[in-house]
Amino acid sequence: MVATDTQGYVYVLVSPNCDSLKIGGSDYPPFKRLKEINHSEPYKHWGKWELADFRQVRNWRKVKRSLHYAFRSRLNTRLPHQKELFRISLKEASDAFHAVDEDEIIGKPKVDRMFYDAPFRDYLQQLFVFAGLTHWLAYQGAWTFVLFPATEGGRYFTLNIGPHEVAFATLNRKSRPTEHMILTDCLILDFDEVAVWLAAHGGKTVAAHYQTAWPRAVCVHFVGDFATAAEFLHLPGVRRALIAYWHDALFDLKDRDKTSVYARFHHYNAVAKLNEYIAQNP
């Protein structure tokens, strides 16, 4: 897809210190824009603002105008020097975002495909919650999630933290079952149950071959469907080893204010939809 100068994001923000919602738009991800809003005039006076919903769209100025027009009679005119605060409920705002023209939404076919495949969707739900990525939504770009990337052989998804992969699943073929890879800390090698399970599922552990990986990184490979992959997540020691690597790497990127080289491929709409699903299905 060729980027245009109007491709970007529309978002809705909420604050406990304001009785109105902010509907805005930006060329760059709302998590970055949110930091600016909380530290700049005039909106910082009614913060701290938090992100409630957003969409990545082909023409954010057009979509923002249509949202503002839809709620024009609800504009909060009591608060000075602003034109983006509306006296509406979060449900009204979310309903409006769900009603945005589908042709404007970036990557919608891939998001739909993810949700049509229930076992795949449910595995991603467990992986995101299990690994704690739901607590790192503000740092999307340091970690990246790509749906159905155009890699050799094809994949369902790829997750990166910084410059290298930390998880992927290959597409299921008649001649080759789905292969899963999850990168963890080497403390996973301390758990005999994991070794036994991997032996029964065509699996293995190998030192990470990524040059940018930390020295303690171990790649875990196995084959099976997504129910099998979910079973792996719940083995003793897996969560501890996964979090030990993923969170340390994320804290390091946060401290250095670094983003992944794959940030431009990150699928924001897929993460937003998945996070919404997680909130509705705890």
Side-chain angles (χ1 to χ4, degrees):
M1 181 179 61
V2 178
T4 69
D5 58 358
T6 56
Q7 179 177 306
Y9 308 81
V10 289
Y11 55 81
V12 56
L13 307 183
V14 296
S15 169
N17 298 313
C18 187
D19 62 359
S20 300
L21 307 185
K22 183 182 188 302
I23 297 177
S26 171
D27 291 317
Y28 44 86
F31 303 100
K32 180 179 178 181
R33 177 66 178 134
L34 185 59
K35 293 180 182 178
E36 296 179 346
I37 291 169
N38 277 321
H39 292 88
S40 60
E41 302 287 354
Y43 298 104
K44 70 176 185 178
H45 294 297
W46 307 299
K48 183 178 179 180
W49 294 96
E50 295 182 352
L51 184 66
D53 204 350
F54 75 96
R55 296 290 185 278
Q56 187 177 14
V57 293
R58 300 182 186 280
N59 188 331
W60 70 263
R61 291 184 176 87
K62 173 184 174 182
V63 174
K64 188 183 82 164
R65 282 196 301 268
S66 68
L67 291 168
H68 283 191
Y69 185 79
F71 295 119
R72 62 193 182 282
S73 64
R74 314 279 290 281
L75 179 67
N76 188 336
T77 57
R78 292 189 302 103
L79 301 179
H81 311 301
Q82 61 77 30
K83 296 181 179 179
E84 294 191 343
L85 296 179
F86 297 87
R87 289 180 169 276
I88 58 175
S89 69
L90 181 55
K91 183 181 185 306
E92 289 176 293
S94 292
D95 287 347
F97 274 55
H98 284 302
V100 169
D101 186 348
E102 293 185 358
D103 290 338
E104 289 288 346
I105 302 297
I106 292 177
K108 187 178 185 302
K110 291 186 176 182
V111 177
D112 289 344
R113 183 179 172 187
M114 174 179 70
F115 274 82
Y116 288 151
D117 190 336
F120 176 40
R121 175 204 63 201
D122 292 341
Y123 169 67
L124 288 176
Q125 175 198 18
Q126 293 185 61
L127 179 61
F128 271 59
V129 172
F130 207 71
L133 284 180
T134 50
H135 300 294
W136 289 90
L137 295 177
Y139 294 94
Q140 293 180 65
W143 63 273
T144 63
F145 174 66
V146 184
L147 268 177
F148 306 105
T151 56
E152 183 178 356
R155 290 181 179 175
Y156 283 93
F157 76 97
T158 298
L159 262 170
N160 287 269
I161 295 179
H164 61 264
E165 296 170 316
V166 294
F168 66 73
T170 64
L171 290 176
N172 186 21
R173 306 294 189 190
K174 289 183 178 180
S175 59
R176 187 185 66 183
T178 295
E179 177 187 350
H180 302 270
M181 189 285 288
I182 298 180
L183 188 147
T184 76
D185 186 272
C186 64
L187 66 84
I188 200 169
L189 302 176
D190 297 337
F191 294 87
D192 293 337
E193 296 95 329
V194 172
V196 171
W197 188 94
L198 288 174
H201 294 83
K204 61 182 178 179
T205 57
V206 296
H209 63 273
Y210 306 109
Q211 292 184 349
T212 53
W214 290 17
R216 292 179 58 83
V218 169
C219 289
V220 180
H221 295 264
F222 58 91
V223 296
D225 58 18
F226 287 108
T228 300
E231 180 182 310
F232 170 77
L233 293 179
H234 294 275
L235 292 175
V238 170
R239 186 179 194 185
R240 186 185 306 174
L242 191 155
I243 289 177
Y245 189 92
W246 289 26
H247 284 232
D248 275 356
L250 285 166
F251 274 117
D252 177 67
L253 291 167
K254 177 185 175 184
D255 291 343
R256 294 188 292 117
D257 196 25
K258 293 289 186 179
T259 57
S260 171
V261 295
Y262 303 104
R264 66 186 183 278
F265 303 114
H266 180 60
H267 205 134
Y268 286 94
N269 284 335
V271 174
K273 187 70 175 177
L274 188 59
N275 192 52
E276 179 183 305
Y277 177 77
I278 290 169
Q280 295 171 353
N281 299 272

